[in-house]
Each structure stands twice: as structure tokens, then as C-alpha cells.
Amino acid sequence: MRILLHRADGVVEPWISGFKAALPQAEVVVWNEGAPTAPCDYAVLWSPTAAMLPDLQHVKAIFLTGAGVDAILKFGDVLPPVPIIRLGDAGMAIQMVEYVAHSVLRYFRRFDEYEKQARRGQWQPLPQHQKEDFAVGVMGMGVLGTRVLASLAAFGFPVRGWSRSPREMQGVSCFSGLENLDEFLRGTRVLVCMLPLTPATANLLDRARLSQLPEGAYLINVARGAHVAEPDLLALIRSGRIAGATLDVFRNEPLPGPHPFWDEPRITLTPHIAALTLPAESADQIAGKINALERGETVADLVDRTRGY
Ligand code: NDP
Ligand code: OXD
């Protein structure tokens, strides 16, 4: 069995050793532009280049080394009609929980304000925010969103979730569909975007939608930059309508040098690290799914191309 591996970061060793341990019968072939590639049974990749597409035509399935699928589905019908399978958690959910819980607590406990005070040598307790005024709303109740909702509920925050189809989750006020989005936003003090990027979710958080949030709301975006209209968010933060944002993802990554987000003190930026792919766990999960496919079984985390996630 041959596995075609593509890593944009060039870091292939942990993947090769991960597959050696989990799927010893497989030969891992590292894809290199311009170099001939022997036909492979499976492809393992994240964001393929157009030059790679001919080498995908004969694989039995394409495995993604991430949760988001926008970087591959953008190729549409040029992709071979084989299953595309994303990672399901593989160590990402706990990282998302850490990132989002940290960001919510930092704002709720006013740690960003205390940091500024400390730099000024100021000893000044501030009034505590109340949890009942701090509903956290998570857009996207999938593999990662549900784990984040459960963790925030455990802290005692009122939690709300928004999804495409109706969902139920204990302790979570659930909303679904565009027709209920404004109601979801109006009761959300901290908005966490954990949606996949699809034609239906691109640009969803524009001025009109963000203005549904209560005065002093806070945005955490760990999904994709293209969900948010960046100039609208900036204007709402500068006017004080939105208190601030923690952003891990941007329309253009790396965030370009002269971008105004760099200079906005109410925006906390991180370089798309909310939940990193862990090679050993991911190779192990993919190997398990390859074995299941070889036995003729169905596997979890199959991408639905029509839905776009
Ligand atoms: P899932 O596919 O498991 O869940 C997606 C959720 O979004 C589902 O609840 C789905 O609704 C909902 N959804 C999809 N389309 C719509 C819509 N049009 N309207 C309302 N809800 C919608 O995704 P994951 O939880 O695994 O991951 C979410 C995203 O997080 C990824 O797509 C990726 O972009 C991002 N990500 C970012 C990382 C980072 O480091 N910053 C790391 C990993 C992921 P329903 O339940 O009805 O299907
Ligand atoms: C992912 C990501 O989608 O890293 O997995 O953004």
C-alpha cells in the first residue's frame, strides 16, 4: 500500500514515523512538485496545490490533516469522486477548549485591563462581571464546538449554540438556521465562531449581524477569517459598540504587515494556532480509518461535498 503525503510546511518526519508505527505495511511517498509520483492508494494532505491534483486522480480516498475542508473543496469538480475524510478531533478539541476558555475568562475576569493597570503601577480592583450577564454563544455545534460548549458550561456560563440543523445539548440553549440567528446573537455577550467556511457562512459576521450583539459584546474567531467582514468589525470596535476581539484566523494569512488589526489594542491576535494538528495522533487516526476502508467498512468524518463540510 502506498500513501501519498503532502505537507506544505515540509515537516514530514513525524508523519512518516507515525504511519510506520500505525500502518507498517504502508510505504509513505512524499509529494514533490515536478518529481514523478508512483500511483498511490491513499492521499494524506491539507491544502493541495493545483499541481497536485493529477496525482490524486487514482487514490481510493483523500485524508485531510485538519478539520476544515475549505482549502480542498475550493477545487470543486476537479477533485476525483473519492471519499474525502477530515480529522475528527485527534487532539484538536482539547486545544480549542483551552484557547476559547482562556479567551472568555480573560475578558470575563478583566485580566486584559489588570495587565494594563499593572504596567502603569496601578493597584485598583475593578467591579466583577456577573456570569448571568455573560452568555457565551458558539456558532457551530460540531466536533469542536460541542466540546467548547461543554467546557464553558462547566465554568457556569450560560451557553448558547447555533447550528444549521436543529440540535439538542443538555444545558445549552440551542438555535438553528438563519431565521434564528439574530435571536441567538441578541442574547450572546461573547460570540465564538467555530463554523466551517462554506458559501452559506462566508461573510456571515458583517456589520448588520455583529450589531445584533448586545453593547460591549466580545468576539472570538477560531474558525476562518472569511466569516468576518474585517472593516466592519474594526469600525464596531473603534466605536466601542463591540468591546474587543480575539482572532486566530484572518482573510489573508499570514496577516499582512500593514493591516490595522496589528495596531488595535482591543484586538488580541494569534497566528492560526488555536488547535494544531498533532502528527502522531492524526496519523494513528488516519491509519485506523484506512484499515476500516480496506475491510470495506464506513468511516467517520466523511466530508459532505454538497453541504460543504
Ligand atoms: P464540524 O463540521 O464538526 O461542525 C460544524 C458545525 O457548524 C455543525 O454544527 C454545523 O451544523 C454548523 N454549520 C455548518 N454550516 C452552517 C450554517 N450554514 N449555519 C449554521 N451552522 C452551520 O466542524 P468542527 O467543529 O470540527 O470544526 C469547525 C471549524 O473550525 C473547521 O471547519 C475549521 O474551519 C475550524 N478550525 C480551526 C482551527 C484553528 O486552529 N483555528 C483548527 C481546527 C478547526 P449541523 O450541526 O447542523 O451540521
Ligand atoms: C483546521 C485548521 O481546520 O487547522 O484543522 O484550521
Side-chain angles (χ1 to χ4, degrees), residues 202-262:
N203 304 308
L204 198 60
L205 295 176
D206 60 6
R207 180 186 287 270
R209 290 259 163 56
L210 291 170
S211 300
Q212 298 297 320
L213 294 166
E215 194 84 30
Y218 194 88
L219 173 70
I220 298 168
N221 187 12
V222 288
R224 289 290 182 264
H227 289 124
V228 179
E230 291 181 345
D232 292 357
L233 174 65
L234 194 66
L236 289 165
I237 288 177
R238 284 183 173 161
S239 73
R241 180 71 181 69
I242 289 191
T246 294
L247 307 174
D248 184 52
V249 286
F250 305 89
R251 282 190 179 248
N252 296 307
E253 295 182 5
L255 186 66
H259 198 287
F261 282 176
W262 290 113

Side-chain angles (χ1 to χ4, degrees), residues 47-63:
S47 172
T49 62
M52 220 192 149
L53 298 180
D55 292 315
L56 299 181
Q57 295 305 319
H58 303 292
V59 298
K60 294 189 250 183
I62 300 171
F63 287 91

Side-chain angles (χ1 to χ4, degrees), residues 236-300:
L236 289 165
I237 288 177
R238 284 183 173 161
S239 73
R241 180 71 181 69
I242 289 191
T246 294
L247 307 174
D248 184 52
V249 286
F250 305 89
R251 282 190 179 248
N252 296 307
E253 295 182 5
L255 186 66
H259 198 287
F261 282 176
W262 290 113
D263 302 317
E264 175 47 63
R266 287 158 290 193
I267 293 181
T268 298
L269 302 179
T270 50
H272 201 141
I273 49 73
L276 298 171
T277 295
L278 306 178
E281 285 85 340
S282 304
D284 198 52
Q285 182 180 107
I286 292 169
K289 289 173 176 168
I290 289 178
N291 283 331
L293 289 178
E294 289 289 310
R295 292 192 299 269
E297 296 167 8
T298 52
V299 295

Side-chain angles (χ1 to χ4, degrees), residues 13 48 134 138 149 166 228 246 273 286 306:
E13 265 324 306
F134 243 81
V138 176
L149 279 163
V228 179
T246 294
I273 49 73
I286 292 169
T306 319

